[in-house]
C-alpha cells in the first residue's frame, strides 16, 4: 500500500512539473526525509540551493541548508500561484508567506520569501533574484540559515518560490 501511495505521489508531481517521459522525469528527483516519511526534491530545487550558497560564499556569508518541510510549503506556494493564475507574495488560499509557514506548522524567528515566474533554469532565476535589490537582500541575509525551494512547471510557464528561515 505504501509503495502504491509513493507511486501515486510521484505521478502527481511529474504531472505538475511536466517533462517528456516518465523515465526522464524520474531522473530529476531525489528522495529526502520529510514531514511524513520521505519527500521528493527536484534537481532544479537543489541547484537553486547550490547557486544561492555560491552567492552567499562570495560575500562571506554562511551557507543555507535545505529545509525539506519548507520546500514542501514553497512548492505548494508555487503550485497555488499556478492553479489560481496569480503572482503575488500574498496567496488567496494561505495569506502571507508568514501565515502560510505557520499554517503548515513551520516555526521561525526570521522568515522571507522570493518568488519568480517564467525563468526556465535555476541559473536564470537566481540571476534574476540577484539583480533585484529586495530579492538579493533575502539571499544575502545572514539571519537566514535554512531555505525551502519550490519549483513547478505547466505547459505555459514556470513558478519558483524560496522560503528563507532563521
Amino acid at each position: 500500500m505504501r509503495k502504491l501511495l509513493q507511486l501515486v505521489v510521484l505521478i502527481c508531481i511529474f504531472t505538475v512539473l511536466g517533462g517528456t517521459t516518465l523515465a526522464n522525469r524520474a531522473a530529476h528527483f531525489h528522495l529526502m526525509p520529510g514531514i511524513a516519511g520521505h519527500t521528493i526534491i527536484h534537481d532544479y530545487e537543489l541547484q537553486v540551493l547550490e547557486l544561492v550558497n555560491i552567492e552567499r560564499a562570495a560575500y562571506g556569508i554562511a551557507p543555507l541548508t535545505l529545509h525539506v518541510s519548507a520546500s514542501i510549503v514553497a512548492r505548494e506556494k508555487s503550485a497555488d500561484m499556478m492553479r489560481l493564475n496569480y503572482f503575488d507574495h500574498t496567496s488567496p488560499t494561505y495569506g502571507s508567506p508568514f501565515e502560510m509557514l505557520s499554517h503548515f506548522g513551520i516555526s521561525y524567528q526570521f522568515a522571507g520569501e522570493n518568488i519568480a515566474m517564467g525563468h526556465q533554469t535555476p541559473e536564470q532565476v537566481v540571476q534574476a533574484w540577484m539583480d533585484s535589490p529586495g530579492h538579493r537582500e533575502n539571499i544575502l541575509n545572514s539571519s537566514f540559515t535554512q531555505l525551502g525551494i519550490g519549483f513547478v512547471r505547466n505547459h505555459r510557464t514556470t513558478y519558483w518560490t524560496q522560503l528563507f528561515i532563521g
Side-chain angles (χ1 to χ4, degrees):
M1 182 66 173
R2 186 176 185 150
K3 293 273 186 203
L4 178 61
L5 179 60
Q6 287 176 340
L7 179 60
V8 169
V9 168
L10 279 171
I11 290 169
C12 290
I13 289 173
F14 294 151
T15 301
V16 168
L17 293 175
T20 56
T21 67
L22 190 59
N24 250 357
R25 292 180 228 160
H28 299 288
F29 294 91
H30 305 274
L31 211 52
M32 309 283 280
I35 295 173
H38 286 80
T39 299
I40 298 164
I41 301 295
H42 192 275
D43 273 348
Y44 275 12
E45 293 164 344
L46 293 176
Q47 288 173 34
V48 166
L49 176 66
E50 182 180 328
L51 292 167
V52 163
N53 282 334
I54 288 169
E55 295 292 346
R56 288 170 67 92
Y59 290 86
I61 303 166
L64 298 169
T65 58
L66 182 68
H67 192 295
V68 175
S69 297
S71 290
I72 294 168
V73 177
R75 191 175 304 134
E76 174 55 24
K77 171 64 180 274
S78 292
D80 188 56
M81 289 190 292
M82 180 181 67
R83 273 191 312 271
L84 300 179
N85 195 30
Y86 74 95
F87 183 70
D88 197 289
H89 290 287
T90 302
S91 161
T93 308
Y94 301 105
S96 74
F98 315 106
E99 291 168 324
M100 190 170 185
L101 285 167
S102 296
H103 173 82
F104 283 93
I106 296 175
S107 58
Y108 58 88
Q109 287 186 315
F110 307 99
E113 178 187 71
N114 285 349
I115 58 174
M117 182 178 136
H119 303 285
Q120 297 303 307
T121 67
E123 293 82 6
Q124 288 174 354
V125 74
V126 171
Q127 187 60 58
W129 281 327
M130 289 302 292
D131 289 343
S132 164
H135 295 105
R136 178 187 183 97
E137 185 177 322
N138 278 339
I139 289 171
L140 300 179
N141 186 332
S142 63
S143 296
F144 296 137
T145 58
Q146 296 181 297
L147 180 61
I149 306 130
F151 165 76
V152 298
R153 169 189 306 153
N154 65 19
H155 64 281
R156 291 185 314 262
T157 194
T158 57
Y159 295 84
W160 305 79
T161 302
Q162 291 181 307
L163 289 172
F164 297 88
I165 298 173

